[in-house]
Amino acid sequence: MKKVLTAMALAGAMSLSAICSAAGEGALLTKEQKAAEAFTAAATGKAEATFAAASAGLNADLKAKVNEKAFGELQKQIKEKLGAAKEINFRAFEHFKDGDRVVYIGAFAKEQNVVITYIFDSTAKIANFAFTPVKPQPAQQAPAKK
């Protein structure tokens, strides 16, 4: 009986430590998701989204490259190549020592599957991003048996 109680106490302590360590990453994910979602909303042309809100989450290097004029071009390219955004959903969060990656999957009018990837620096600011259409690969047929 003592072994069972000791094992249960150990399992409880390990569970609690895992939950506590994930809490810090959860707050980080929330902050990064807000920045990514503001940028995505503005880039895809949502009426209520503004360039100021989108650029607030960019790091200094990216902010220098993506000024208001360049952002207008980005919006135009997204609309021409992908069409209007129908649905965008969060898919993955990867935490690294020197930054993070946040991934969304979107459905657009012209492209059904678009992977939207955001790379964050160590200060939780967007350092890079990509809107990548993904085409489904046709199923390969197995060779016929003789």
Side-chain angles (χ1 to χ4, degrees), residues 8 14 28 35 39 44-45 58 71 101 134-135 137 140 143:
M8 288 176 63
M14 291 176 68
L28 182 62
F39 189 88
T44 58
L58 305 180
F71 191 76
R101 180 175 25 218
V134 178
K135 301 281 185 197
Q137 296 295 321
Q140 293 181 347

Side-chain angles (χ1 to χ4, degrees), residues 91-138:
R91 281 295 173 252
F93 169 67
E94 295 176 283
H95 179 63
F96 302 102
K97 181 175 68 172
D98 57 348
D100 304 316
R101 180 175 25 218
V102 178
V103 180
Y104 292 83
I105 301 291
F108 288 76
K110 295 180 183 178
E111 293 287 345
Q112 272 304 349
N113 297 304
V114 177
V115 177
I116 305 167
T117 306
Y118 290 97
I119 306 299
F120 288 84
D121 63 14
S122 59
T123 64
K125 295 286 189 173
I126 299 171
N128 207 345
F129 63 92
F131 286 70
T132 311
V134 178
K135 301 281 185 197
Q137 296 295 321

Side-chain angles (χ1 to χ4, degrees), residues 39-64:
F39 189 88
T40 302
T44 58
K46 298 272 190 224
E48 68 279 0
T50 64
F51 172 73
S55 65
L58 305 180
N59 72 7
D61 292 339
L62 192 56
K63 201 178 269 190

Side-chain angles (χ1 to χ4, degrees), residues 57-77:
L58 305 180
N59 72 7
D61 292 339
L62 192 56
K63 201 178 269 190
K65 294 176 188 171
V66 182
N67 57 25
E68 202 160 354
K69 182 179 178 185
F71 191 76
E73 274 300 310
L74 174 67
Q75 288 176 314
K76 183 179 170 186
Q77 287 177 1

